[in-house]
Amino acid sequence: MSRPLHRGVSGGGRLSVNGPDFWDDSQMKDKIEKEDLERNRSPGDQTYSPTKFLCRILFPDNSPSKHNLGENGLLSDPFSPGTGRNRLKYTLVLIRLSLVGIILLALTGSFWWTISITSSSRGHIYHGYRQLQEQVVSDLRDIGQLSLGAANVKDIEYCPPESENFIPCFNVSENLDLGLSKGEEVDRHCGPGSRQNCLVLPPVNYKIPLRWPTGRDVIWHANVNITAQEVLSSGSMTKRLMMLEEEQISFRSDSAMFDSIEDYSHQIAEMIGLRNESNFVRAGVRTILDIGCGYGSFGAHLFSSQLLTMCVANYEASGSQVQLTLERGLPAMIGSFNSKQLPYPSLSFDMIHCAECHVDWDQKDGIFLVEVDRLLRPGGYFVWTSTVTNTQRSVRNKVSLKKWNFVRNFAESMCWELLPQQDETVVWKKTSLKKCYFARRPGVGPSICSKGQDIESPYYRPLQACIAGTQSRRWIPIEERTKWPSRAKLNSSELKIHGNGVCYLKLLLRIPLTGIQQLTIIGHFFHL
């Protein structure tokens, strides 16, 4: 009768039993249990467990049992040195494959980028290369200057305080010393010493202008060179439309003076035959030249009606008119009718305005009125507000009466139509028909300019005593022009009127397009 097998007893002792198989099995079992117990009690197991956890995530166990059995039927550790070494090899292989993939993607992207660059316009590449080359040369020059030491670096000095209102090419005292007179002393004269290599400092208490549109009506008094006495002594109606309020100059007020600019604009619109000034755009009026504009109050008011007004005023030592207008955020420039043409092409403005602008229109045989005719588009308006136009007062003043009669007759000789007069404001309408000039009696009024005299872009050319603009392709009455805002987008046919149609076509053909696209553009261009 066989005896039952006892594999072990409590207390950690062993029971000796005859038979080699039983001994090996019992001893092996005890050894495994002891190793498991020591492994569980080992302090290094705490540091190893995160690694095991990470490896289990990266290399999940796909066996059906929690513990794998070895070939000899024993439990095998998945983190044994042999298994970890194999998985490390697999990881390295995966990393290498990823690097190869990244390199292939980079080479492919670089290849396509090179193709796209080579297929682009050579002109753009060359232009970019030239810009880069110029920038490199400039940087190298700066580095060379710095390497020479601080002694060779020139610092730009500050201009003296009296140069605060310095304007190049405008110096009345120097012009008087040169013997210039009769208004030429306030014109632009550029001499060898007209340029100053110094930095002009702003006023001591200069402040950042207020944001538009608030800055249009309120400016800082410290930013402009004007005194309260100059404001009070101003004779211009538009100059008086301002008030000094502590540190600010306000152009908006509830006073009757402020309301008069609105009534004045409304009066001009009625004289033209419009309901109010908001209808100027419908009548073809968009650009206005304001001569002797004061401080830009007329243009500031018309801005709300989508009208652009350019302020032109004579040179002043303090630059008060132009300076205040620019400070308000309105366009302005120094210019006069004394001896040079204004730097605008012929037929540039829809309306020219003069309210007590102090221009003697009857002087120099009416050559100033001829310049007005050159700047006006066909059908444009010339608005003149002056005490000279007051016929009742002019009867008692023979000088004013003489001036008024000369201006009225001379305007009629240039085919201007006098509209009904109101108070001291007179409005003329320039003719839209060229044949009116040829229908005049011989010797009446200024002659028509020849082709050599009729230049489109005069830059400070002497005043011409002949009627210009009649040979221009831009001779189009303002009533027939495209109204704003549609006028902002010019098509090829309208550009051709300005002489820019061919340049427009060349510009389009320089764009990198296919042959079919270029043929389509050419066909569309000539079809228009």
Side-chain angles (χ1 to χ4, degrees):
M1 184 175 180
S2 60
R3 185 185 304 174
L5 297 176
H6 297 278
R7 305 255 174 135
V9 294
S10 61
R14 297 182 185 274
L15 178 63
S16 300
V17 182
N18 295 331
D21 295 336
F22 178 82
W23 167 251
D24 293 339
D25 185 29
S26 177
Q27 187 179 11
M28 183 61 68
K29 180 66 176 179
D30 293 339
K31 184 178 179 180
I32 290 174
E33 291 177 356
K34 184 182 292 185
E35 288 178 356
D36 291 340
L37 182 61
E38 291 177 355
R39 188 182 296 110
N40 294 332
R41 293 178 179 179
S42 176
D45 185 60
Q46 300 300 327
T47 60
Y48 190 67
S49 59
T51 307
K52 290 183 179 180
F53 179 73
L54 181 60
C55 291
R56 285 195 182 98
I57 294 176
L58 296 176
F59 305 96
D61 190 1
N62 297 324
S63 61
S65 176
K66 182 178 179 182
H67 301 285
N68 297 330
L69 294 176
E71 294 179 356
N72 55 0
L74 300 178
L75 292 173
S76 62
D77 190 359
F79 305 102
S80 62
T83 306
R85 196 176 294 112
N86 292 334
R87 287 175 176 167
L88 179 61
K89 290 181 181 180
Y90 295 152
T91 304
L92 292 176
V93 171
L94 290 175
I95 292 175
R96 289 173 182 173
L97 291 176
S98 300
L99 291 176
V100 171
I102 293 173
I103 293 173
L104 290 177
L105 290 175
L107 291 176
T108 305
S110 177
F111 176 73
W112 286 111
W113 180 79
T114 304
I115 292 177
S116 64
I117 287 295
T118 54
S119 62
S120 61
S121 175
R122 294 182 179 179
H124 292 110
I125 298 175
Y126 179 74
H127 182 67
Y129 170 76
R130 287 297 301 272
Q131 284 186 341
L132 180 61
Q133 188 180 36
E134 293 174 358
Q135 183 64 36
V136 170
V137 172
S138 176
D139 293 342
L140 290 176
R141 188 184 297 112
D142 295 340
I143 294 173
Q145 290 290 336
L146 292 174
S147 63
L148 296 177
N152 294 324
V153 179
K154 270 192 167 184
D155 294 332
I156 302 179
E157 299 179 352
Y158 294 110
C159 298
E162 56 269 16
S163 299
E164 178 182 320
N165 295 300
F166 170 75
I167 302 174
C169 305
F170 286 97
N171 194 319
V172 177
S173 59
E174 290 183 1
N175 294 337
L176 291 175
D177 295 339
L178 295 175
L180 298 175
S181 60
K182 296 181 179 180
E184 294 184 359
E185 67 276 6
V186 295
D187 279 343
R188 179 182 175 92
H189 299 281
C190 292
S194 60
R195 180 178 180 181
Q196 293 188 9
N197 294 325
C198 60
L199 295 176
V200 179
L201 293 174
V204 178
N205 298 321
Y206 187 85
K207 297 182 179 180
I208 301 299
L210 301 175
R211 288 183 177 272
W212 181 276
T214 304
R216 178 190 60 187
D217 301 323
V218 180
I219 64 175
W220 298 106
H221 182 251
N223 292 3
V224 294
N225 188 9
I226 187 173
T227 62
Q229 184 62 30
E230 291 179 350
V231 176
L232 297 176
S233 62
S234 173
S236 173
M237 178 189 66
T238 56
K239 283 185 179 181
R240 289 195 300 266
L241 301 181
M242 56 185 294
M243 297 180 62
L244 297 177
E245 299 176 356
E246 297 181 356
E247 297 181 351
Q248 296 178 340
I249 299 178
S250 176
F251 297 89
R252 57 186 181 189
S253 171
D254 295 332
S255 64
M257 285 194 304
F258 180 79
D259 295 335
S260 63
I261 194 68
E262 183 176 359
D263 296 338
Y264 176 68
S265 304
H266 186 77
Q267 177 184 349
I268 295 175
E270 287 182 344
M271 296 174 67
I272 294 176
L274 305 174
R275 184 175 182 180
N276 51 48
E277 60 272 20
S278 61
N279 295 325
F280 274 138
V281 175
R282 298 180 184 178
V285 177
R286 164 67 176 172
T287 57
I288 301 174
L289 181 67
D290 193 4
I291 305 172
C293 58
Y295 303 134
S297 298
F298 184 66
H301 173 71
L302 296 180
F303 186 84
S304 58
S305 300
Q306 298 184 355
L307 301 175
L308 293 179
T309 304
M310 168 61 72
C311 166
V312 176
N314 285 331
Y315 170 81
E316 296 173 309
S318 61
S320 57
Q321 292 190 60
V322 174
Q323 186 178 8
L324 263 77
T325 304
L326 292 174
E327 190 70 20
R328 300 179 65 182
L330 301 169
M333 63 168 292
I334 296 175
S336 63
F337 282 86
N338 294 321
S339 60
K340 300 290 193 307
Q341 290 183 343
L342 293 179
Y344 301 107
S346 302
L347 317 178
S348 295
F349 294 94
D350 305 319
M351 178 183 290
I352 295 180
H353 174 258
C354 165
E356 298 292 345
C357 58
H358 303 292
V359 176
D360 296 326
W361 299 109
D362 60 319
Q363 298 298 315
K364 297 185 178 182
D365 298 329
I367 196 171
F368 302 144
L369 293 173
V370 176
E371 175 66 3
V372 171
D373 183 88
R374 183 187 72 83
L375 295 173
L376 275 178
R377 292 192 176 103
Y381 301 95
F382 174 57
V383 181
W384 184 28
T385 300
S386 174
T387 57
V388 176
T389 62
N390 192 329
T391 55
Q392 297 180 355
R393 187 179 302 176
S394 298
V395 173
R396 298 188 297 269
N397 190 333
K398 294 183 179 180
V399 176
S400 298
L401 182 60
K402 182 179 179 180
K403 290 182 178 181
W404 165 243
N405 290 333
F406 177 87
V407 173
R408 184 180 57 182
N409 295 331
F410 193 86
E412 183 180 356
S413 68
M414 292 190 300
C415 296
W416 288 7
E417 178 187 358
L418 180 62
L419 302 182
Q421 181 178 351
Q422 292 187 15
D423 300 331
E424 296 181 350
T425 301
V426 181
V427 178
W428 281 279
K429 182 179 177 61
K430 179 180 176 178
T431 182
S432 301
L433 303 175
K434 297 181 183 179
K435 62 181 182 180
C436 179
Y437 298 120
F438 301 98
R440 298 176 300 173
R441 297 192 306 271
V444 176
S447 60
I448 298 176
C449 294
S450 61
K451 190 174 182 180
Q453 295 173 320
D454 197 354
I455 299 177
E456 285 290 335
S457 300
Y459 290 100
Y460 300 102
R461 295 179 67 247
L463 290 171
Q464 302 292 326
C466 55
I467 297 176
T470 57
Q471 303 180 31
S472 175
R473 290 175 293 184
R474 296 184 293 106
W475 183 279
I476 303 175
I478 61 174
E479 299 88 350
E480 300 177 8
R481 292 172 56 86
T482 304
K483 302 299 185 294
W484 180 265
S486 301
R487 190 190 302 180
K489 298 179 181 179
L490 298 177
N491 54 37
S492 57
S493 60
E494 291 172 330
L495 286 173
K496 192 186 303 182
I497 295 175
H498 295 268
N500 298 326
V502 178
C503 296
Y504 174 72
L505 179 60
K506 290 181 179 179
L507 179 62
L508 288 177
L509 295 180
R510 287 183 179 179
I511 300 175
L513 302 173
T514 63
I516 297 177
Q517 289 174 330
Q518 290 185 354
L519 291 176
T520 303
I521 292 175
I522 294 174
H524 178 71
F525 176 80
F526 286 104
H527 177 72
L528 291 177

